Amino acid sequence: MSHLKRTALTSELKDHIDREVVLAGWVHDVRVLGGISFILLRDMAGIVQVTAPKAKVSPDILKEITTLHQEDVIMVKGKVVSSKIAKKGIEVIPEQLEVVNRAETPLPLDPRGVQNTLLETRLNWRFLDFRSEESNAIFKVQSAILRTFREFFAARHYVEIQPPVIIASASEGGAELFSLKYFEKDAYLAQSPQLYKQMCAISFEKVCTILPVFRAEKFEQPTHLNEVRQMDIEQAFSTDEDVMKVLEEFLAECITTITMSCNEELEKIGQKLEPLHLPLKRMQYRDAIELLRENGEDIQVGNDFSKTQENRLSQLLKEEAFFIVGWPSEQKAFYAMPNQDGKTSRAFDLIYRGLEIASGTQRIHVPALLIQQLKSKGLNPENFKFYIDSFRYGAPPHAGWSIGLERLTMKMTGRENIRETTMFPRDRNRLSP
């Protein structure tokens, strides 16, 4: 254990000019020249140059520097001085150097990003990849998205809930569920918190949650994984239009907050976020189908949009973000409230930067209609008895939505593959690390 104790982060050094500090971090790079040596020290806040001129630094320190390798963990005690050469305009002249722990060589990958590394290699050695400026920036943006979500809805008096992820029956229908033995019973990993957030909304009125969900589909696409995190809300005495307004307001504020709080991170990954102008465009499902058909896409009413078609719609509309509304009932889950025409539902998708990042509906709160819709989807109402019964004792109209955290991060950071914005992705081929 080092005898030194950190007194400053690299981001704080401009406030310590001509003063002594103790830094702790990793060797990002090291160069040993004839009369001078350099260490680039990296910590959670950035990188600073440690400069060791032969004329000013003890021989012991100079000798120790020659033994350093990338990713060695070190402590440096030294004086902060102004510099016309160093990248940040400051450098540290070391008075004491301690090696806390040495990294084995060679490294499985280079966190400096000097060489292009295959995504598979980066995921295999994820903890090292997190140390690269690119990945570090991506996940700091993601952390800020989560913080913004919680702060936005806490300020509006939503209750944060904790739904279970082990459930007794499908939450949305369909067979793509991971099954498991739950003592003597069969159980599943939840594909959605849907039923539980509705049960909470009809009591607390306004609820939100962040949680993992699971789908046992054999995805091979850059926009899908088998485990993702969702940011959900549900609120009572509300229609689909009410919660669409909440969604667009949250997205607009999230973009503004990320732009201000993560400007350095966005700059590192070459991204600039455009502010949203509300209200967002609402496009009818049938109009979207027709527009795509007019522009050469092979799609029919009743089809869902492919990811390519979502992007094409964004290009044709020249919209950064927009809603698709008026979906056919057969395209949406059993709990989506049907419109009076009996053919469409009060459902919507939100497209942002060419990709669907959120979807929602007004929900059915009438037990008889819920049973009817379950049967029309080929589902057994008996398997949803606890859910149906919750609407028999004073359930107000309610609506809600869900945002995919990794997808939103993907679009905000300009990544092409959702695995880049998932800390430890799970797909059909990857179960570790």
Side-chain angles (χ1 to χ4, degrees):
M1 185 69 183
S2 173
H3 296 96
L4 297 175
K5 188 171 180 62
R6 173 194 275 162
T7 62
L9 293 170
T10 55
S11 60
E12 301 167 336
L13 296 183
K14 287 186 177 179
D15 297 327
H16 293 77
I17 299 292
D18 295 326
R19 290 162 57 189
E20 191 178 81
V21 297
V22 177
L23 301 175
W26 291 264
V27 175
H28 188 70
D29 206 350
V30 60
R31 286 179 293 153
V32 178
L33 306 177
I36 193 167
S37 297
F38 301 95
I39 303 168
L40 292 183
L41 183 146
R42 185 189 69 245
D43 64 13
M44 65 181 289
I47 297 173
V48 71
Q49 180 172 290
V50 178
T51 303
K54 194 173 182 180
K56 295 183 179 181
V57 175
S58 73
D60 288 344
I61 290 179
L62 293 171
K63 183 179 178 182
E64 191 74 270
I65 292 174
T66 65
T67 71
L68 295 178
H69 294 94
Q70 268 183 270
E71 302 310 309
D72 286 347
V73 180
I74 61 172
M75 307 280 289
V76 174
K77 180 180 179 181
K79 186 177 181 181
V80 182
V81 297
S82 298
S83 170
K84 295 180 179 179
I85 301 172
K87 190 175 180 181
K88 289 191 173 181
I90 53 174
E91 60 188 3
V92 176
I93 309 299
E95 299 167 7
Q96 190 175 344
L97 169 64
E98 288 189 14
V99 179
V100 179
N101 204 355
R102 294 191 186 274
E104 293 186 11
T105 57
L107 296 173
L109 61 83
D110 187 347
R112 297 174 304 176
V114 174
Q115 298 175 335
N116 288 329
T117 306
L118 292 174
L119 180 57
E120 282 301 301
T121 303
R122 291 171 53 198
L123 296 179
N124 288 340
W125 299 96
R126 199 53 156 154
F127 69 93
L128 271 179
D129 183 59
F130 289 153
R131 299 177 191 177
S132 70
E133 283 197 338
E134 180 183 348
S135 284
N136 197 273
I138 287 169
F139 291 108
K140 284 182 178 176
V141 169
Q142 187 171 92
S143 179
I145 292 171
L146 288 166
R147 184 169 61 251
T148 303
F149 179 84
R150 283 197 164 98
E151 290 174 353
F152 182 93
F153 288 102
R156 288 158 179 77
H157 309 295
Y158 286 67
V159 175
E160 184 166 356
I161 60 170
Q162 304 298 328
V165 294
I166 299 176
I167 59 174
S169 60
S171 24
E172 296 188 3
E176 292 88 4
L177 296 171
F178 287 109
S179 61
L180 59 121
K181 293 302 293 184
Y182 189 74
F183 301 104
E184 294 78 29
K185 299 177 181 178
D186 292 327
Y188 305 92
L189 293 179
Q191 71 196 108
S192 165
Q194 184 58 49
L195 313 187
Y196 294 93
K197 65 175 185 169
Q198 285 184 252
M199 292 164 67
C200 291
I202 62 175
S203 295
F204 295 106
E205 290 200 30
K206 299 197 297 185
V207 299
C208 64
T209 188
I210 301 170
L211 81 172
V213 296
F214 308 86
R215 294 180 186 267
E217 297 166 358
K218 295 179 179 179
F219 296 122
E220 295 284 2
Q221 298 162 302
T223 54
H224 290 75
L225 288 171
N226 297 106
E227 178 193 21
V228 294
R229 272 128 293 272
Q230 287 187 183
M231 301 183 293
D232 285 51
I233 74 151
E234 198 77 21
Q235 60 188 59
F237 303 103
S238 298
T239 66
D240 50 326
E241 187 56 46
D242 292 329
V243 293
M244 287 166 69
K245 186 173 185 293
V246 175
L247 176 53
E248 64 185 4
E249 288 174 354
F250 165 69
L251 182 59
E253 181 158 321
C254 188
I255 290 168
T256 300
T257 301
I258 298 302
T259 299
M260 292 190 298
S261 66
C262 296
N263 60 311
E264 288 186 13
E265 285 77 15
L266 292 172
E267 187 176 329
K268 285 176 183 176
I269 55 179
Q271 290 299 303
K272 182 181 179 184
L273 302 180
E274 297 297 329
L276 296 187
H277 302 287
L278 304 185
L280 298 179
K281 181 179 180 64
R282 274 77 165 149
M283 187 175 207
Q284 290 291 324
Y285 167 85
R286 282 182 172 269
D287 292 340
I289 295 288
E290 187 60 32
L291 179 60
L292 287 171
R293 286 175 59 83
E294 288 173 358
N295 285 273
E297 290 289 334
D298 183 15
I299 188 170
Q300 309 293 327
V301 171
N303 294 159
D304 201 352
F305 303 103
S306 69
K307 299 309 167 194
T308 302
Q309 289 165 341
E310 289 173 356
N311 189 48
R312 182 73 174 131
L313 269 176
S314 297
Q315 293 171 350
L316 292 169
L317 293 173
K318 295 181 173 60
E319 297 281 354
E320 185 84 349
F322 63 95
F323 287 104
I324 301 176
V325 300
W327 285 79
S329 292
E330 63 265 22
Q331 292 290 104
K332 293 298 178 179
F334 67 84
Y335 49 74
M337 178 68 78
N339 283 311
Q340 290 185 346
D341 62 11
K343 297 178 181 179
T344 60
S345 60
R346 298 179 190 177
F348 57 87
D349 281 4
L350 174 61
I351 310 297
Y352 174 58
R353 286 188 152 190
L355 181 68
E356 178 225 320
I357 62 159
S359 61
T361 67
Q362 182 175 335
R363 325 300 190 183
I364 296 172
H365 62 286
V366 180
L369 180 55
L370 197 51
I371 291 169
Q372 178 184 318
Q373 291 296 98
L374 280 163
K375 288 179 177 179
S376 73
K377 298 283 187 181
L379 298 170
N380 184 356
E382 284 300 311
N383 293 336
F384 297 85
K385 186 177 185 302
F386 77 93
Y387 171 65
I388 298 168
D389 287 348
S390 66
F391 301 118
R392 298 187 188 279
Y393 306 100
H398 55 284
W401 47 254
S402 170
I403 299 178
L405 172 64
E406 290 87 354
R407 278 198 184 183
L408 179 55
T409 309
M410 181 180 165
K411 299 316 292 184
M412 281 191 165
T413 59
R415 304 302 98 178
E416 296 297 328
N417 194 313
I418 196 170
R419 289 154 186 80
E420 293 185 75
T421 59
T422 307
M423 282 196 156
F424 300 100
R426 292 291 177 260
D427 56 33
R428 62 183 299 189
N429 300 313
R430 180 170 289 279
L431 197 53
S432 66

